[in-house]
Amino acid sequence: MSTQIDIEERLSHLIRTVDDLSDVVARQEREIAVLTRQVMRLTERAEADAEGSVTLTDQRPPHW
């Protein structure tokens, strides 16, 4: 049977675990936001580059 002290210790560990997990989730949220912005910029750049270029299927191989 658990004593009051055992329950308080377990509760303390659970609170610390929840706080640690909350920190991890917050950090991951920031990282996801940064990565999302990077992907958007790369996609925009790729689309801009593709607008003025000739597709590879329209080009003759260099050895011809």
Side-chain angles (χ1 to χ4, degrees), residues 2 5-15:
S2 295
I5 293 174
D6 292 337
I7 293 172
E8 289 176 1
E9 285 178 1
R10 293 180 78 183
L11 179 60
S12 176
H13 289 294
L14 287 172
I15 290 171

mmCIF file with all atom_site columns, all heavy atoms in Angstrom, residues 2 5-15:
data_model
loop_
_atom_site.group_PDB
_atom_site.id
_atom_site.type_symbol
_atom_site.label_atom_id
_atom_site.label_alt_id
_atom_site.label_comp_id
_atom_site.label_asym_id
_atom_site.label_entity_id
_atom_site.label_seq_id
_atom_site.pdbx_PDB_ins_code
_atom_site.Cartn_x
_atom_site.Cartn_y
_atom_site.Cartn_z
_atom_site.occupancy
_atom_site.B_iso_or_equiv
_atom_site.pdbx_formal_charge
_atom_site.auth_seq_id
_atom_site.auth_comp_id
_atom_site.auth_asym_id
_atom_site.auth_atom_id
_atom_site.pdbx_PDB_model_num
ATOM 1  N N   . SER A 1 2  ? 0.528  2.210  -0.849  1.00 0.00 ? 2  SER A N   1
ATOM 2  C CA  . SER A 1 2  ? 1.337  3.414  -0.983  1.00 0.00 ? 2  SER A CA  1
ATOM 3  C C   . SER A 1 2  ? 1.083  4.371  0.173   1.00 0.00 ? 2  SER A C   1
ATOM 4  O O   . SER A 1 2  ? -0.039 4.561  0.611   1.00 0.00 ? 2  SER A O   1
ATOM 5  C CB  . SER A 1 2  ? 1.008  4.129  -2.292  1.00 0.00 ? 2  SER A CB  1
ATOM 6  O OG  . SER A 1 2  ? 1.373  3.333  -3.373  1.00 0.00 ? 2  SER A OG  1
ATOM 7  N N   . ILE A 1 5  ? 3.877  9.792  1.190   1.00 0.00 ? 5  ILE A N   1
ATOM 8  C CA  . ILE A 1 5  ? 5.169  10.215 0.643   1.00 0.00 ? 5  ILE A CA  1
ATOM 9  C C   . ILE A 1 5  ? 5.403  9.557  -0.719  1.00 0.00 ? 5  ILE A C   1
ATOM 10 O O   . ILE A 1 5  ? 5.862  10.210 -1.659  1.00 0.00 ? 5  ILE A O   1
ATOM 11 C CB  . ILE A 1 5  ? 6.306  9.901  1.629   1.00 0.00 ? 5  ILE A CB  1
ATOM 12 C CG1 . ILE A 1 5  ? 6.155  10.762 2.882   1.00 0.00 ? 5  ILE A CG1 1
ATOM 13 C CG2 . ILE A 1 5  ? 7.666  10.123 0.986   1.00 0.00 ? 5  ILE A CG2 1
ATOM 14 C CD1 . ILE A 1 5  ? 7.135  10.433 3.985   1.00 0.00 ? 5  ILE A CD1 1
ATOM 15 N N   . ASP A 1 6  ? 5.082  8.261  -0.853  1.00 0.00 ? 6  ASP A N   1
ATOM 16 C CA  . ASP A 1 6  ? 5.242  7.562  -2.131  1.00 0.00 ? 6  ASP A CA  1
ATOM 17 C C   . ASP A 1 6  ? 4.394  8.222  -3.215  1.00 0.00 ? 6  ASP A C   1
ATOM 18 O O   . ASP A 1 6  ? 4.850  8.408  -4.347  1.00 0.00 ? 6  ASP A O   1
ATOM 19 C CB  . ASP A 1 6  ? 4.846  6.087  -2.002  1.00 0.00 ? 6  ASP A CB  1
ATOM 20 C CG  . ASP A 1 6  ? 5.801  5.282  -1.133  1.00 0.00 ? 6  ASP A CG  1
ATOM 21 O OD1 . ASP A 1 6  ? 6.962  5.709  -0.983  1.00 0.00 ? 6  ASP A OD1 1
ATOM 22 O OD2 . ASP A 1 6  ? 5.363  4.234  -0.614  1.00 0.00 ? 6  ASP A OD2 1
ATOM 23 N N   . ILE A 1 7  ? 3.176  8.549  -2.866  1.00 0.00 ? 7  ILE A N   1
ATOM 24 C CA  . ILE A 1 7  ? 2.277  9.192  -3.836  1.00 0.00 ? 7  ILE A CA  1
ATOM 25 C C   . ILE A 1 7  ? 2.814  10.550 -4.251  1.00 0.00 ? 7  ILE A C   1
ATOM 26 O O   . ILE A 1 7  ? 2.812  10.905 -5.432  1.00 0.00 ? 7  ILE A O   1
ATOM 27 C CB  . ILE A 1 7  ? 0.852  9.308  -3.250  1.00 0.00 ? 7  ILE A CB  1
ATOM 28 C CG1 . ILE A 1 7  ? 0.244  7.908  -3.077  1.00 0.00 ? 7  ILE A CG1 1
ATOM 29 C CG2 . ILE A 1 7  ? -0.027 10.177 -4.137  1.00 0.00 ? 7  ILE A CG2 1
ATOM 30 C CD1 . ILE A 1 7  ? -1.069 7.883  -2.333  1.00 0.00 ? 7  ILE A CD1 1
ATOM 31 N N   . GLU A 1 8  ? 3.305  11.311 -3.284  1.00 0.00 ? 8  GLU A N   1
ATOM 32 C CA  . GLU A 1 8  ? 3.866  12.629 -3.592  1.00 0.00 ? 8  GLU A CA  1
ATOM 33 C C   . GLU A 1 8  ? 5.100  12.503 -4.477  1.00 0.00 ? 8  GLU A C   1
ATOM 34 O O   . GLU A 1 8  ? 5.303  13.304 -5.392  1.00 0.00 ? 8  GLU A O   1
ATOM 35 C CB  . GLU A 1 8  ? 4.183  13.381 -2.303  1.00 0.00 ? 8  GLU A CB  1
ATOM 36 C CG  . GLU A 1 8  ? 2.944  13.843 -1.553  1.00 0.00 ? 8  GLU A CG  1
ATOM 37 C CD  . GLU A 1 8  ? 3.266  14.507 -0.228  1.00 0.00 ? 8  GLU A CD  1
ATOM 38 O OE1 . GLU A 1 8  ? 4.474  14.635 0.112   1.00 0.00 ? 8  GLU A OE1 1
ATOM 39 O OE2 . GLU A 1 8  ? 2.328  14.893 0.475   1.00 0.00 ? 8  GLU A OE2 1
ATOM 40 N N   . GLU A 1 9  ? 5.941  11.498 -4.219  1.00 0.00 ? 9  GLU A N   1
ATOM 41 C CA  . GLU A 1 9  ? 7.132  11.295 -5.053  1.00 0.00 ? 9  GLU A CA  1
ATOM 42 C C   . GLU A 1 9  ? 6.738  10.918 -6.477  1.00 0.00 ? 9  GLU A C   1
ATOM 43 O O   . GLU A 1 9  ? 7.309  11.435 -7.442  1.00 0.00 ? 9  GLU A O   1
ATOM 44 C CB  . GLU A 1 9  ? 8.014  10.193 -4.445  1.00 0.00 ? 9  GLU A CB  1
ATOM 45 C CG  . GLU A 1 9  ? 8.779  10.616 -3.221  1.00 0.00 ? 9  GLU A CG  1
ATOM 46 C CD  . GLU A 1 9  ? 9.604  9.481  -2.623  1.00 0.00 ? 9  GLU A CD  1
ATOM 47 O OE1 . GLU A 1 9  ? 9.593  8.359  -3.178  1.00 0.00 ? 9  GLU A OE1 1
ATOM 48 O OE2 . GLU A 1 9  ? 10.253 9.713  -1.595  1.00 0.00 ? 9  GLU A OE2 1
ATOM 49 N N   . ARG A 1 10 ? 5.788  10.023 -6.603  1.00 0.00 ? 10 ARG A N   1
ATOM 50 C CA  . ARG A 1 10 ? 5.339  9.616  -7.939  1.00 0.00 ? 10 ARG A CA  1
ATOM 51 C C   . ARG A 1 10 ? 4.711  10.794 -8.680  1.00 0.00 ? 10 ARG A C   1
ATOM 52 O O   . ARG A 1 10 ? 4.958  10.974 -9.881  1.00 0.00 ? 10 ARG A O   1
ATOM 53 C CB  . ARG A 1 10 ? 4.352  8.458  -7.824  1.00 0.00 ? 10 ARG A CB  1
ATOM 54 C CG  . ARG A 1 10 ? 5.024  7.193  -7.299  1.00 0.00 ? 10 ARG A CG  1
ATOM 55 C CD  . ARG A 1 10 ? 4.079  6.058  -7.178  1.00 0.00 ? 10 ARG A CD  1
ATOM 56 N NE  . ARG A 1 10 ? 3.873  5.524  -8.531  1.00 0.00 ? 10 ARG A NE  1
ATOM 57 C CZ  . ARG A 1 10 ? 3.048  4.552  -8.815  1.00 0.00 ? 10 ARG A CZ  1
ATOM 58 N NH1 . ARG A 1 10 ? 2.317  4.009  -7.878  1.00 0.00 ? 10 ARG A NH1 1
ATOM 59 N NH2 . ARG A 1 10 ? 2.930  4.109  -10.047 1.00 0.00 ? 10 ARG A NH2 1
ATOM 60 N N   . LEU A 1 11 ? 3.928  11.583 -7.979  1.00 0.00 ? 11 LEU A N   1
ATOM 61 C CA  . LEU A 1 11 ? 3.316  12.761 -8.590  1.00 0.00 ? 11 LEU A CA  1
ATOM 62 C C   . LEU A 1 11 ? 4.388  13.745 -9.039  1.00 0.00 ? 11 LEU A C   1
ATOM 63 O O   . LEU A 1 11 ? 4.309  14.318 -10.134 1.00 0.00 ? 11 LEU A O   1
ATOM 64 C CB  . LEU A 1 11 ? 2.351  13.428 -7.611  1.00 0.00 ? 11 LEU A CB  1
ATOM 65 C CG  . LEU A 1 11 ? 1.655  14.688 -8.103  1.00 0.00 ? 11 LEU A CG  1
ATOM 66 C CD1 . LEU A 1 11 ? 0.822  14.386 -9.350  1.00 0.00 ? 11 LEU A CD1 1
ATOM 67 C CD2 . LEU A 1 11 ? 0.802  15.280 -7.010  1.00 0.00 ? 11 LEU A CD2 1
ATOM 68 N N   . SER A 1 12 ? 5.409  13.922 -8.209  1.00 0.00 ? 12 SER A N   1
ATOM 69 C CA  . SER A 1 12 ? 6.507  14.818 -8.556  1.00 0.00 ? 12 SER A CA  1
ATOM 70 C C   . SER A 1 12 ? 7.216  14.354 -9.828  1.00 0.00 ? 12 SER A C   1
ATOM 71 O O   . SER A 1 12 ? 7.522  15.157 -10.716 1.00 0.00 ? 12 SER A O   1
ATOM 72 C CB  . SER A 1 12 ? 7.497  14.889 -7.393  1.00 0.00 ? 12 SER A CB  1
ATOM 73 O OG  . SER A 1 12 ? 8.608  15.671 -7.743  1.00 0.00 ? 12 SER A OG  1
ATOM 74 N N   . HIS A 1 13 ? 7.461  13.059 -9.945  1.00 0.00 ? 13 HIS A N   1
ATOM 75 C CA  . HIS A 1 13 ? 8.104  12.511 -11.145 1.00 0.00 ? 13 HIS A CA  1
ATOM 76 C C   . HIS A 1 13 ? 7.211  12.680 -12.373 1.00 0.00 ? 13 HIS A C   1
ATOM 77 O O   . HIS A 1 13 ? 7.688  13.001 -13.466 1.00 0.00 ? 13 HIS A O   1
ATOM 78 C CB  . HIS A 1 13 ? 8.456  11.033 -10.941 1.00 0.00 ? 13 HIS A CB  1
ATOM 79 C CG  . HIS A 1 13 ? 9.585  10.814 -9.994  1.00 0.00 ? 13 HIS A CG  1
ATOM 80 N ND1 . HIS A 1 13 ? 10.879 11.223 -10.257 1.00 0.00 ? 13 HIS A ND1 1
ATOM 81 C CD2 . HIS A 1 13 ? 9.634  10.232 -8.774  1.00 0.00 ? 13 HIS A CD2 1
ATOM 82 C CE1 . HIS A 1 13 ? 11.662 10.902 -9.248  1.00 0.00 ? 13 HIS A CE1 1
ATOM 83 N NE2 . HIS A 1 13 ? 10.932 10.306 -8.319  1.00 0.00 ? 13 HIS A NE2 1
ATOM 84 N N   . LEU A 1 14 ? 5.922  12.464 -12.197 1.00 0.00 ? 14 LEU A N   1
ATOM 85 C CA  . LEU A 1 14 ? 4.990  12.635 -13.314 1.00 0.00 ? 14 LEU A CA  1
ATOM 86 C C   . LEU A 1 14 ? 4.938  14.087 -13.774 1.00 0.00 ? 14 LEU A C   1
ATOM 87 O O   . LEU A 1 14 ? 4.913  14.366 -14.985 1.00 0.00 ? 14 LEU A O   1
ATOM 88 C CB  . LEU A 1 14 ? 3.594  12.154 -12.920 1.00 0.00 ? 14 LEU A CB  1
ATOM 89 C CG  . LEU A 1 14 ? 3.417  10.643 -12.803 1.00 0.00 ? 14 LEU A CG  1
ATOM 90 C CD1 . LEU A 1 14 ? 2.047  10.312 -12.227 1.00 0.00 ? 14 LEU A CD1 1
ATOM 91 C CD2 . LEU A 1 14 ? 3.606  9.984  -14.157 1.00 0.00 ? 14 LEU A CD2 1
ATOM 92 N N   . ILE A 1 15 ? 4.933  15.004 -12.841 1.00 0.00 ? 15 ILE A N   1
ATOM 93 C CA  . ILE A 1 15 ? 4.917  16.430 -13.201 1.00 0.00 ? 15 ILE A CA  1
ATOM 94 C C   . ILE A 1 15 ? 6.181  16.796 -13.961 1.00 0.00 ? 15 ILE A C   1
ATOM 95 O O   . ILE A 1 15 ? 6.137  17.505 -14.977 1.00 0.00 ? 15 ILE A O   1
ATOM 96 C CB  . ILE A 1 15 ? 4.747  17.302 -11.935 1.00 0.00 ? 15 ILE A CB  1
ATOM 97 C CG1 . ILE A 1 15 ? 3.329  17.141 -11.380 1.00 0.00 ? 15 ILE A CG1 1
ATOM 98 C CG2 . ILE A 1 15 ? 5.049  18.766 -12.242 1.00 0.00 ? 15 ILE A CG2 1
ATOM 99 C CD1 . ILE A 1 15 ? 3.114  17.788 -10.023 1.00 0.00 ? 15 ILE A CD1 1
#
